[in-house]
């Protein structure tokens, strides 16, 4: 699977998307019932969950990015509506509806009966977005108020006093169906955006109770003969919230093709009704195919699905990740490393993998989701945006942002349930001043002099616990000389650990509960596991690598590198003696040479420092040195001694080929840096696959 690709993989249950199929079938059922079939009147009410459901999923997705995509959503809806209007013009014409009133209908009502939904969205979405600026609670209250007003013109119409009824009539004169855009769409959009989850049992019980309430309400109002329309009921929003919460509870991943399919079925089904009726009439099958409501429904649904499916048949090209240059992650190696590192964990300590910098270039979503599957329930990242990205792709568990976060990003932290590090006393005040409850871990500086409140400043540290908006759930420090045991390194590390312990002791003395305390990262866990803590924030070691060659021998567990990097041979060419190649004549052939052009360059993170033979790749199990200067998108290598190299071959930049292997360490040494830097600079243009 490609990092960033929609997670529709096997084993997933994208309940939100899948339920669209049920919803669209309900819409078709509503429109294929026979006019006289009033005995099924009650079912019609229940089938009405379909439209609010569609509205709620739209709201859910709009809300997920803070309504930023509202513009795009409106554009898409308008386009769909435009297509719908055109599509149904022949039927409008046939039904004699192209009267002078038609433009008003197009603007306010939908040009064909089922199309009301789209202009209603076009009206309701901007209203909901505007309301959302007031904050969730206020927005819901106002939208709820609008809904109550709308009820008066709908199921409760007959209960209105004379004057009020006249007022509603005036509204209906302008817009009949799209009044819902004002009274009903905003509430369901906002309820969807709220994404309320109540747990499966509560949702199910709530769903059943509100369903029976709805039935009673509908029966009462129907019996009293007060309904003008029957699309709005008091108990309806409750039913929808419970239904939606139930589905959200199961929702995993997404299925975009269902979205497109159901949109098309929605758009096309009235045409299919007409076609089915015409076809049945022509074939003399009106009895079984039209008058039998159930068969009619099934025939229309089948035809709509078939037509929509045919229209969608030209699928978007499948991603082909191994086309140019790509990273392969070795699932088994990652699992192995997790197991080995877990075996080192001190009592009560859990792994908190560092998946910052795109998981050290490995692909954060890909890695974190796999780690989730291995039971990892806590992660750390450097930036709030990195945490948000993980959440958007469904990564579960605690996500701690290790770096500074500007107060302007507090809404992002809250939206994605991220835990923020307080990097010093001033930062604590800034975050607190936002006035929004935030989960934080407090960082203590015990000697690195980078981030954290200095360990000596006990009073300042304790003060952070008094800040009303901050819920301190952890305290941590970072060791900066833990790469070896013994000597100055060990002495300094122990001083850091002691200073940290002293802070914890002081907090306990003051009666402040600080939650989880942690200080180990990769080298800390490998060299000083006895220092303990609630988390080990393991980065580089998890990926089966150490920062440099030192320490490899003394490493207490055998780790396996997770990443390999490959690129294609774009072209092979021969150079005559004396010919030059590359920018600035970076290379001159001393004798006849054959060179291969690789599809990877420094923009992909292949260091330019590896130019002129400092770097090598493997082709057919043989080393091929870099010639000339590494370019942005390409690199030349010498393949003179390697027979049979041709365009399309795979060059191994990191990893094994035949008997040979190139490690990240080889690369970082040749580039005079550490593995962390080489890995974390692997670019966004590389595709990433788990193998
Ligand atoms: C990056 C980072 C880690 C992980 O470090 P590794 O050495 O890769 O294990 C842990 N803690 C903090 C504060 C970090 O910034």
């Amino acid at each position: 699977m490609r990092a960033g690709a929609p997670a529709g993989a096997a084993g997933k249950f994208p309940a939100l998307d899948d339920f669209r199929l049920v919803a669209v079938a309900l819409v078709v059922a509503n429109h294929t019932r026979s006019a006289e079939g009033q005995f099924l009147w009650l079912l019609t009410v229940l089938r009405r969950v379909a439209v609010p459901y569609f509205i709620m999923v739209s709201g859910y997705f709009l809300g997920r990015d803070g309504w930023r995509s509202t513009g795009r959503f409106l554009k898409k809806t308008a386009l769909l509506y435009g297509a719908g209007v055109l599509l149904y013009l022949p039927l409008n014409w046939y039904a004699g509806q192209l009267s002078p009133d038609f433009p008003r209908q197009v603007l306010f009502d939908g040009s064909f009966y089922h199309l009301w939904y789209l202009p209603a969205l076009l009206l309701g979405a901007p209203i909901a977005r505007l309301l959302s600026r007031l904050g969730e609670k206020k927005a819901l209250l106002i939208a709820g108020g609008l809904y109550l007003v709308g009820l008066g013109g709908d199921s409760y119409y007959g209960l209105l006093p004379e004057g009020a009824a006249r007022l509603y009539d005036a509204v209906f004169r302008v817009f009949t169906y799209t009044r819902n855009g004002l009274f009903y769409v905003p509430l369901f959009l906002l309820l969807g955006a709220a994404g309320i989850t109540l747990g499966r049992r509560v949702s199910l019980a709530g769903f059943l109770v509100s369903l029976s309430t709805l039935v009673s309400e509908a029966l009462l109002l129907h019996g009293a003969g007060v309904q003008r329309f029957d699309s709005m009921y008091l108990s309806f929003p409750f039913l929808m919230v419970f239904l939606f919460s139930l589905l959200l509870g199961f929702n995993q991943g997404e299925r975009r093709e269902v979205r497109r399919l159901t949109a098309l079925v929605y758009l096309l089904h009235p045409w299919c009704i007409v076609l089915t009726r015409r076809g049945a009439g022509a074939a003399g099958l009106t009895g079984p195919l039209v008058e039998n409501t159930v068969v009619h429904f099934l025939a229309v649904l089948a035809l709509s699905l078939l037509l929509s499916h045919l229209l969608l048949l030209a699928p978007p090209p499948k991603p082909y990740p191994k086309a140019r240059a790509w990273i392969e992650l070795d699932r088994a190696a990652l699992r192995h490393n997790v197991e080995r590192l877990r075996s080192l964990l001190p009592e009560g300590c859990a792994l908190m993998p560092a998946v910052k910098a795109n998981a050290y270039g490995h692909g954060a979503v890909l890695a974190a989701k796999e780690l989730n599957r291995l039971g990892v329930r806590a992660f750390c990242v450097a930036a709030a945006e990195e945490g948000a990205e993980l959440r958007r792709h469904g990564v579960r568990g605690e996500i701690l942002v290790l770096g500074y976060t500007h107060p302007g990003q507090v809404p992002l932290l809250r939206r994605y349930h991220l835990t923020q590090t307080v990097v010093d006393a001033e930062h604590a005040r800034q975050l607190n001043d936002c006035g929004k409850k935030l989960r934080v871990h407090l960082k203590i500086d015990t000697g690195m002099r980078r981030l954290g409140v200095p360990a000596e400043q006990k009073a300042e540290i304790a003060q952070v616990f008094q800040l009303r908006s901050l819920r301190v759930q952890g305290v941590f420090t970072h060791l900066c000389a833990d790469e070896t045991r013994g000597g100055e390194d060990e002495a300094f590390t122990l001083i850091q650990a002691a200073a940290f312990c002293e802070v914890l002791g002081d907090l306990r003395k003051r009666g402040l509960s600080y939650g989880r305390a942690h200080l180990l990262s990769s080298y800390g866990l490998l060299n000083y596991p006895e220092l303990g803590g609630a988390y080990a924030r393991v980065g580089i070691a998890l990926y089966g690598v150490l920062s440099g060659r030192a320490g490899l021998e003394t490493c207490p567990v055998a780790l396996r590198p997770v990443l390999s990097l490959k690129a294609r041979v774009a072209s092979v060419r021969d150079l005559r003696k004396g010919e030059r190649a590359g920018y600035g004549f970076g290379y001159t052939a001393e004798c006849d040479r054959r060179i291969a052009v690789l599809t990877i360059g420094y923009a992909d993170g292949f260091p330019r420092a590896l130019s002129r033979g400092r770097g090598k790749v493997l082709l057919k199990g043989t080393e091929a040195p870099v010639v000339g200067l590494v370019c942005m998108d390409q690199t030349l290598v010498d393949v003179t001694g390697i027979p049979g190299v041709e365009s399309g071959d795979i060059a191994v930049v990191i990893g094994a080929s035949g008997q040979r292997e190139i490690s990240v360490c080889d690369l970082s040494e040749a580039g005079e840096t550490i593995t962390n830097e080489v890995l974390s600079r692997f670019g966004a243009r590389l595709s990433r696959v788990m193998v």
Side-chain angles (χ1 to χ4, degrees), residues 196-255:
I196 301 165
T197 43
L198 301 161
R200 282 180 197 169
R201 264 196 230 152
V202 177
S203 310
L204 186 63
F207 175 72
L208 294 174
V209 170
S210 47
L211 189 63
S212 49
T213 317
L214 176 67
V215 171
S216 326
E217 188 186 357
L219 282 174
L220 273 174
L221 293 168
H222 195 62
V226 298
Q227 294 180 314
R228 176 172 179 138
F229 299 100
D230 68 342
S231 55
M232 294 165 83
Y233 292 95
L234 257 184
S235 34
F236 214 18
F238 297 95
L239 177 73
M240 292 312 299
V241 166
F242 288 120
L243 172 65
F244 203 72
S245 148
L246 197 61
L247 291 167
L248 262 183
F250 285 102
N251 192 49
Q252 270 190 322
E254 43 188 52
R255 221 191 297 273

Side-chain angles (χ1 to χ4, degrees), residues 349-364:
C349 184
L351 281 186
M352 182 191 247
V355 289
K356 57 192 183 183
N358 205 16
Y360 295 43
H362 288 60

Side-chain angles (χ1 to χ4, degrees), residues 194-463:
I196 301 165
T197 43
L198 301 161
R200 282 180 197 169
R201 264 196 230 152
V202 177
S203 310
L204 186 63
F207 175 72
L208 294 174
V209 170
S210 47
L211 189 63
S212 49
T213 317
L214 176 67
V215 171
S216 326
E217 188 186 357
L219 282 174
L220 273 174
L221 293 168
H222 195 62
V226 298
Q227 294 180 314
R228 176 172 179 138
F229 299 100
D230 68 342
S231 55
M232 294 165 83
Y233 292 95
L234 257 184
S235 34
F236 214 18
F238 297 95
L239 177 73
M240 292 312 299
V241 166
F242 288 120
L243 172 65
F244 203 72
S245 148
L246 197 61
L247 291 167
L248 262 183
F250 285 102
N251 192 49
Q252 270 190 322
E254 43 188 52
R255 221 191 297 273
R256 280 166 195 260
E257 47 309 348
V258 169
R259 295 184 199 170
R260 276 180 239 124
L261 186 75
T262 48
L264 270 178
V265 169
Y266 190 90
L267 200 63
L268 295 179
H269 76 275
W271 255 116
C272 294
I273 293 175
V274 173
L275 292 176
T276 311
R277 295 199 168 163
R278 285 286 148 134
L285 291 172
T286 306
L289 260 184
V290 178
E291 278 159 23
N292 183 328
T293 321
V294 176
V295 177
H296 184 49
F297 158 68
L298 290 174
V300 170
L301 185 62
L303 184 61
S304 311
L305 280 169
L306 182 73
L307 273 185
S308 307
H309 188 70
L310 286 178
L311 280 171
L312 287 175
L313 258 191
K318 268 212 168 134
Y320 183 71
K322 300 186 179 182
R324 183 181 165 271
W326 68 95
I327 281 170
E328 287 177 10
L329 302 189
D330 183 341
R331 195 190 301 272
L334 185 62
R335 178 180 294 258
H336 167 91
N337 296 342
V338 166
E339 282 168 6
R340 300 320 309 140
L341 291 167
R342 275 187 176 146
S343 75
L344 295 179
L345 289 174
E347 180 78 23
C349 184
L351 281 186
M352 182 191 247
V355 289
K356 57 192 183 183
N358 205 16
Y360 295 43
H362 288 60
V365 171
L366 210 54
K369 295 201 91 162
E370 185 61 23
L371 290 165
N372 261 172
R373 281 189 275 274
L374 296 175
V376 169
R377 285 288 172 271
F379 298 93
C380 49
V381 292
E385 195 42 65
E386 293 180 324
E389 179 68 7
L390 293 179
R391 286 282 193 247
R392 283 187 206 109
H393 288 88
V395 171
R396 290 180 308 248
E398 173 165 24
I399 298 180
L400 173 64
V401 179
L402 296 169
Y404 170 79
T405 293
H406 189 273
Q409 279 187 310
V410 164
L412 190 77
L413 294 173
R414 286 163 51 81
R415 164 95 223 174
Y416 292 106
H417 309 292
L418 307 175
T419 308
Q420 174 57 41
T421 293
V422 169
V423 308
D424 62 17
E426 176 54 28
H427 192 216
R429 276 185 287 276
Q430 285 176 11
L431 293 173
N432 185 60
D433 287 348
C434 294
K436 301 276 186 206
K437 282 259 177 292
L438 260 193
R439 287 183 277 194
V440 300
H441 282 202
L442 172 58
K443 185 155 191 187
I444 309 293
D445 177 11
T446 52
M448 182 156 186
R449 298 288 174 256
R450 189 175 64 174
L451 295 180
V453 185
E456 317 77 75
Q457 299 179 4
K458 303 281 189 302
E460 295 258 3
I461 291 170
Q463 263 164 28

Side-chain angles (χ1 to χ4, degrees), residues 352-356 360 380-382 400 402-403 421 443 448 450-451 476-479 482-483 518-525 536-543 545 547 676:
M352 182 191 247
V355 289
K356 57 192 183 183
Y360 295 43
C380 49
V381 292
L400 173 64
L402 296 169
T421 293
K443 185 155 191 187
M448 182 156 186
R450 189 175 64 174
L451 295 180
F476 71 100
T477 191
H478 194 44
L479 305 173
D482 54 356
E483 288 205 11
H518 46 106
L519 75 169
L520 301 179
S521 50
S522 292
Y523 282 106
L525 178 63
R537 304 183 307 265
V538 177
I540 194 76
L542 188 78
Y543 306 107
V545 179
S547 298
N676 308 49

Side-chain angles (χ1 to χ4, degrees), residues 10 14 129 283 384 387 473 529 578 636 691:
R129 187 197 162 145
Q473 297 186 326
L636 307 179
V691 294

